[in-house]
């Protein structure tokens, strides 16, 4: 199904053992967890993805814009 947009929740969490092994870090080291909910045009969620990020390697920045309506 086509996805219209996705919403990402970003949280700092302790790395689960499997994630720590994959990222080659100590278990329970803080990582960023991105949980994306993918939504159709009719607002029906159709998929979810979860990604763990080691902030020592990849940093995130947010740019907020304000558009006139």
């Amino acid at each position: 199904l086509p996805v219209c947009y996705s919403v990402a929740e970003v949280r700092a969490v302790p790395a689960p053992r499997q994630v720590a092994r994959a990222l080659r870090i100590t278990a329970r080291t803080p990582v960023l967890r991105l949980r994306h909910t993918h939504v159709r045009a009719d607002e029906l969620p159709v998929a979810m993805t979860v990604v763990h990020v080691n902030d020592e390697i990849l940093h995130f920045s947010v740019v907020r814009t304000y558009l006139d309506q």
Side-chain angles (χ1 to χ4, degrees):
L1 300 171
V3 171
C4 182
Y5 66 93
S6 65
V7 177
E9 173 193 80
V10 180
R11 297 190 70 179
V13 299
R17 278 190 219 120
Q18 184 177 0
V19 170
R21 273 195 304 272
L23 295 177
R24 297 182 182 168
I25 58 175
T26 305
R28 316 239 357 117
T29 298
V31 294
L32 294 176
R33 180 184 68 203
L34 286 72
R35 183 181 294 168
H36 297 264
T37 302
H38 306 281
V39 184
R40 293 190 327 196
D42 63 2
E43 300 299 321
L44 181 68
V46 293
M48 178 178 275
T49 56
V50 177
V51 177
H52 291 86
V53 177
N54 180 351
D55 190 56
E56 293 292 318
I57 298 172
L58 182 63
H59 302 278
F60 284 91
S61 297
V62 175
V63 176
R64 295 177 67 182
T65 62
Y66 300 90
L67 304 175
D68 291 332
Q69 302 238 353

